[in-house]
Amino acid sequence: MKKIGAEILIECLKEQGVSTVFGYPGGTVLDIYDALYRDGTINHVITSHEQGAAHAADGYARVTGRTGVVIATSGPGATNLVTGIATAFMDSVPVVAITGNVGITMLGRDSFQEIDISGITMPITKHNYIVKDVNTLADVIREAFLIANSGRKGPVLIDILKNVQVGEAEYEPAIPAAAHSKPVPASALESAAAALKKAERPLILVGGGAIASDASREVVALAEKLDAPVASTLMGLGACPASHPLFVGMIGMHGTATAAKLCMESDCILALGTRFSDRVALNRDKFAAGKTVIQIDIDDAEIDKNVPVTYSVLGDVKQALTTLLPMLQQKRRSFSKTAADYRAAEQKKNRTDELGHKVLIEAAKLAPKDTIVVTDVGQHQMWTAQYYPIERPRTFCTSGGLGTMGYGLGAAIGAAFGSGKHVILVTGDGCFNMNLNELSTAVTENLPITILLMNNRALGMVRQWQKLFYNNRFSQTDIRKKTDYVKFAESFGAKGYAIEKEADIAPVLKKALATPSPVLVDCRISNDENVLPMIRPGATYDTIITDWEEK
Amino acid sequence: MNQYTISALVANKSGVLTRVAALFARRGYNIESLSVCKTETDAFSRMTIVLNGDDYILGQMMKQMDKLIDVKKIKRVEEDAVSRELLLVKVKTDSATRSQILEISQIFRAKVVDVSIEATILELTGKPSKLDGFVTMLLPYGVMELARTGVTAISRGKTCIQDETDYKEKI
């Protein structure tokens, strides 16, 4: 049947099973918004700013595993998506961004709100399109969804010219091509299996790829079969339950001392869907020197990119582990006992008095296990990774690769829509101020989001680096804002509470977590707290700082 | 620092050259030459890239390029492959130097494609090193301008770039 481009877009979104999209209308997407209005079956969430919409699509995708969709107009609408698209790109999150653009007769003439968003987003998308012919539109949209959610997942942008939105074409419904990853043959895993059998002290390093491929069950089964401790990158949190006896916490710059020690002592590292970023393999030459390293990754370019590996397996983590598991025998190893001892000793030593930490520990105790935890970026993000045990995959959203301050609130909105669960957003006063406009979106949509604002009146992480590397010259990191966040929340229609001392924690959190609508909790913490342990950039794991005085 | 030649079959669409060139720029790869041409099928263009670097950069560049949706096949061209470049050079000429310039051209088997009172245009095809040598010999006479196509290359024997597996088909 004949349809105009804007209607074809809506039909294609429905083909893909899209029920919720995030976005913001404008001049060159008027026809798309008109088609949305006339169709009436897709839930469109309007944010305060396109960046928030992009992060929402990202958060939606992370918690559901389905592709998030964001729509923005040309020019500033499109450029406002850029940080959100880049965030999704760095963390391999499937997002399809749809932008309008001026009509073909206006293109290239620097028309009002015309921008080359395809050119701008080329390095931060898996692929992008400029659609100039309505007859190609349906297939472009189908291909975009397939690309976004297959292989190493990531964002795809479709720039649809105005004339395409109003132009007519024949529309034939199609069943979406499923993004299946190929089974990994046993032949590809023989060397890896042999090395694992021989290993005396194997350490499993689990990354975001394990979450993306929904391989949590296989990761745990593998750990139990090998009797190997599991360390996780920030992106991998949730792939192995934090309460699992073999789990030893996060690894890397702010990872646990246990993970660092075990990594040094291990004779074999099995990396599952992780790219040995500079926040994990801080010193890439020494990180795994002398060890057998096995890397399973779906992106060929990640093999040998940062850390040279002994054996590599190209493929989806779940597929690879499904093949690998029957090739291995159950074996007890004393290394798991070493891991448990280190972990117990570290936890005993780490009793914290810090108010912010206690808020997180208490929140984890009070909130159900399927609560979605979203963070912004900085000290509070690392504290969350350290003190809030993530028990399930796809319940933790954080900007790992790009480190996007301001990611959290938008992502929390998307995560709330995607999961239908209660969302805890842990943020800092620096990050929160970047995109606090989206609190109005959360209120409008009446979303069950509890915001734990770690208010230290400082850009804490940068300040910590100034303390460590710049001799306490706190250039621009002490925040002098006079904002009353409780009143702010109330003025936006949310509830606002404050935590000033330990006695406030339990009663306030109980109230907040029982509220099925946005609540902001202003946690007034010290401005001088550090994130520890810490390993300096470029340094080896043996130089880990666990005590600030000893640094 | 080594030199490698890479061939790629890419979608014959606008913007593909930008994607490839932008990839080199942002990853800091050092490209010696890049040439693009039509192929026997309308759907594909062929790129030949000469890269300066080491094995790590070669491996990374090929894998990163292979990830681009528009790159269908990619192959490192063997060192013994047939590899050619075309040069057009305009040399300052007068009655005193003309015969010397023609003599040099004969040694290199270059073709004279245009002659005027003050200039001669010569055409030469061959390996880049041969072209370099030719230009060096002409420099004393005054090279007014020159244009080179960049290297284009093809494997010997029956192996073809079509035989390569696209990374995207493997996963």
Side-chain angles (χ1 to χ4, degrees):
Chain A
M1 75 207 90
K2 282 234 181 274
K3 284 189 178 294
I4 61 164
E7 293 165 344
I8 293 173
L9 168 65
I10 305 303
E11 291 306 320
C12 288
L13 292 179
K14 289 199 279 190
E15 276 177 19
Q16 300 291 332
V18 173
S19 54
T20 299
V21 298
F22 304 89
Y24 204 100
T28 61
V29 286
L30 273 162
D31 296 288
I32 294 174
Y33 276 82
D34 189 54
L36 270 172
Y37 182 93
R38 284 186 281 115
D39 176 77
T41 64
I42 294 178
N43 176 30
H44 178 280
V45 180
I46 179 169
T47 52
S48 300
H49 185 284
E50 289 89 349
Q51 186 184 347
H55 292 322
D58 169 308
Y60 183 91
R62 288 190 207 227
V63 298
T64 60
R66 298 199 302 274
T67 303
V69 179
V70 57
I71 304 173
T73 193
S74 60
T79 56
N80 281 345
L81 296 178
V82 168
T83 304
I85 294 173
T87 305
F89 183 71
M90 290 293 274
D91 289 346
S92 310
V93 179
V95 169
V96 167
I98 294 157
T99 52
N101 209 338
V102 299
I104 189 97
T105 55
M106 308 286 278
L107 197 73
R109 292 169 188 265
D110 301 315
S111 308
F112 178 65
Q113 293 194 331
E114 181 194 351
I115 205 77
D116 174 19
I117 195 62
S118 159
I120 289 172
T121 58
M122 205 172 272
I124 54 165
T125 50
K126 267 189 89 176
H127 195 56
N128 62 22
Y129 301 87
I130 304 173
V131 187
K132 295 177 184 167
D133 175 3
V134 67
N135 293 299
T136 65
L137 180 64
D139 285 340
V140 163
I141 295 162
R142 290 165 188 152
E143 191 178 88
F145 273 86
L146 188 62
I147 291 170
N149 213 348
S150 59
R152 180 173 181 175
K153 302 168 200 303
V156 177
L157 179 132
I158 313 171
D159 196 27
I160 307 174
L161 303 195
K162 179 100 176 165
N163 56 292
V164 172
Q165 298 172 29
V166 295
E168 272 199 340
E170 200 60 40
Y171 167 74
E172 284 289 337
I175 296 159
H180 285 308
S181 41
K182 293 217 168 103
V184 178
S187 57
L189 285 152
E190 267 159 21
S191 316
L196 285 170
K197 279 179 205 163
K198 234 174 47 191
E200 284 172 18
R201 297 178 306 281
L203 174 71
I204 296 173
L205 182 54
V206 63
I211 308 255
S213 74
D214 292 317
S216 301
R217 251 199 335 213
E218 289 76 9
V219 168
V220 172
L222 179 78
E224 288 171 357
K225 208 158 194 187
L226 291 172
D227 199 18
V230 181
S232 175
T233 68
L234 180 66
M235 297 306 301
L237 290 176
C240 176
S243 58
H244 194 284
L246 286 166
F247 188 70
V248 296
M250 187 168 68
I251 194 165
M253 181 173 273
H254 296 294
T256 62
T258 304
K261 253 200 276 189
L262 293 171
C263 183
M264 285 189 287
E265 290 173 16
S266 68
D267 62 350
C268 176
I269 295 175
L270 173 59
L272 304 175
T274 174
R275 60 191 173 91
F276 298 109
S277 85
D278 58 298
R279 286 298 189 264
V280 170
L282 295 119
N283 184 316
R284 61 179 187 231
D285 298 323
K286 293 186 186 150
F287 175 75
K291 297 178 201 302
T292 302
V293 183
I294 303 163
Q295 185 179 10
I296 300 178
D297 205 285
I298 200 158
D299 183 354
D300 202 14
E302 291 303 344
I303 312 282
D304 283 335
K305 186 177 86 177
N306 291 334
V307 168
V309 299
T310 328
Y311 305 108
S312 64
V313 180
L314 180 64
D316 176 83
V317 172
K318 188 189 184 82
Q319 294 282 3
L321 294 190
T322 304
T323 309
L324 179 64
L325 276 164
M327 298 167 75
L328 300 168
Q329 279 93 43
Q330 183 84 39
K331 189 172 168 186
R332 309 286 320 157
R333 286 177 168 86
S334 58
F335 197 48
S336 64
K337 172 81 170 64
T338 312
D341 291 347
Y342 287 171
R343 188 84 178 121
E346 186 178 5
Q347 275 169 342
K348 204 166 144 195
K349 190 176 152 222
N350 273 5
R351 296 268 159 73
T352 175
D353 281 326
E354 172 60 23
L355 188 67
H357 301 170
K358 288 190 166 173
V359 169
L360 291 168
I361 293 166
E362 187 66 21
K365 263 191 225 155
L366 292 171
K369 294 271 178 281
D370 59 356
T371 303
I372 309 287
V373 179
V374 181
T375 79
D376 256 306
V377 168
Q379 288 188 313
H380 69 269
Q381 177 189 31
M382 292 299 115
W383 289 329
T384 309
Q386 293 171 337
Y387 291 98
Y388 196 110
I390 306 295
E391 293 293 331
R392 294 182 189 177
R394 300 198 180 281
T395 61
F396 182 59
C397 302
T398 195
S399 168
L402 196 67
T404 307
M405 286 178 70
Y407 165 79
L409 191 46
I413 289 166
F417 274 106
S419 67
K421 304 271 164 57
H422 199 101
V423 176
I424 294 179
L425 166 65
V426 187
T427 183
D429 49 336
C431 287
F432 187 65
N433 271 284
M434 284 202 174
N435 279 329
L436 46 69
N437 48 11
E438 299 304 344
L439 185 59
S440 61
T441 312
V443 170
T444 307
E445 303 291 343
N446 198 30
L447 300 173
I449 299 176
T450 300
I451 302 168
L452 303 179
L453 176 67
M454 297 295 164
N455 179 5
N456 61 354
R457 284 108 24 234
L459 302 176
M461 187 59 95
V462 180
R463 194 176 187 278
Q464 175 172 339
W465 282 50
Q466 288 170 337
K467 225 190 289 184
L468 198 55
F469 304 121
Y470 294 85
N471 202 20
N472 293 332
R473 293 188 300 278
F474 298 125
S475 179
Q476 300 299 321
T477 51
D478 285 314
I479 299 176
R480 290 170 298 149
K481 291 185 171 67
K482 300 282 181 273
T483 313
D484 179 332
Y485 291 100
V486 173
K487 280 189 190 154
F488 162 81
E490 284 165 354
S491 74
F492 267 53
K495 290 207 163 64
Y497 303 119
I499 291 177
E500 286 180 276
K501 53 188 185 302
E502 204 179 328
D504 300 340
I505 297 176
V508 168
L509 287 183
K510 271 180 196 153
K511 252 191 309 190
L513 291 170
T515 309
S517 59
V519 178
L520 185 148
V521 182
D522 181 8
C523 309
R524 294 169 192 164
I525 63 171
S526 150
N527 71 340
D528 204 36
E529 191 55 36
N530 302 304
V531 179
L532 289 174
M534 178 174 182
I535 305 168
R536 291 176 173 84
T540 49
Y541 278 17
D542 57 325
T543 63
I544 190 165
I545 304 165
T546 52
D547 189 328
W548 198 261
E549 307 310 316
E550 287 169 15
K551 73 171 166 62
Chain B
M1 182 93 81
N2 299 322
Q3 203 160 69
Y4 307 94
T5 307
I6 294 155
S7 285
L9 278 188
V10 304
N12 181 17
K13 288 196 281 198
S14 67
V16 178
L17 179 60
T18 316
R19 284 179 204 281
V20 173
L23 174 69
F24 300 155
R26 72 171 178 271
R27 299 246 175 215
Y29 304 143
N30 187 0
I31 296 300
E32 177 76 17
S33 89
L34 168 65
S35 75
V36 192
C37 61
K38 295 206 286 190
T39 63
E40 67 283 7
T41 40
D42 282 345
F44 298 120
S45 304
R46 185 174 177 125
M47 287 186 181
T48 309
I49 300 145
V50 179
L51 165 79
N52 291 326
D54 52 24
D55 283 344
Y56 172 79
I57 291 180
L58 172 73
Q60 268 296 305
M61 191 179 103
M62 288 187 60
K63 288 168 167 184
Q64 296 290 358
M65 257 186 84
D66 208 0
K67 277 165 64 174
L68 296 177
I69 304 298
D70 287 333
V71 173
K72 305 299 173 191
K73 307 273 176 181
I74 185 159
K75 178 185 185 169
R76 181 183 166 195
V77 179
E78 306 81 0
E79 275 174 26
D80 70 342
V82 181
S83 155
R84 294 287 181 271
E85 188 176 7
L86 184 135
L87 161 81
L88 292 173
V89 58
K90 190 182 286 177
V91 195
K92 208 186 224 175
T93 322
D94 56 35
S95 53
T97 58
R98 185 168 294 116
S99 61
Q100 294 169 26
I101 289 167
L102 292 179
E103 200 178 316
I104 293 167
S105 302
Q106 271 173 357
I107 296 168
F108 280 87
R109 298 209 175 88
K111 268 199 276 182
V112 178
V113 288
D114 184 70
V115 181
S116 62
I117 293 167
E118 290 171 282
T120 306
I121 301 179
L122 302 162
E123 175 194 317
L124 179 63
T125 307
K127 288 190 172 179
S129 56
K130 181 179 168 186
L131 271 51
D132 292 343
F134 185 51
V135 172
T136 310
M137 292 303 289
L138 295 175
L139 279 175
Y141 302 98
V143 170
M144 297 163 76
E145 63 174 326
L146 68 77
R148 293 169 72 152
T149 57
V151 174
T152 192
I154 204 159
S155 294
R156 288 183 192 274
K158 70 178 175 68
T159 58
C160 293
I161 192 166
Q162 280 86 351
D163 304 336
E164 302 294 316
T165 327
D166 184 357
Y167 149 76
K168 295 176 280 292
E169 290 164 12
K170 289 192 232 165
I171 51 168

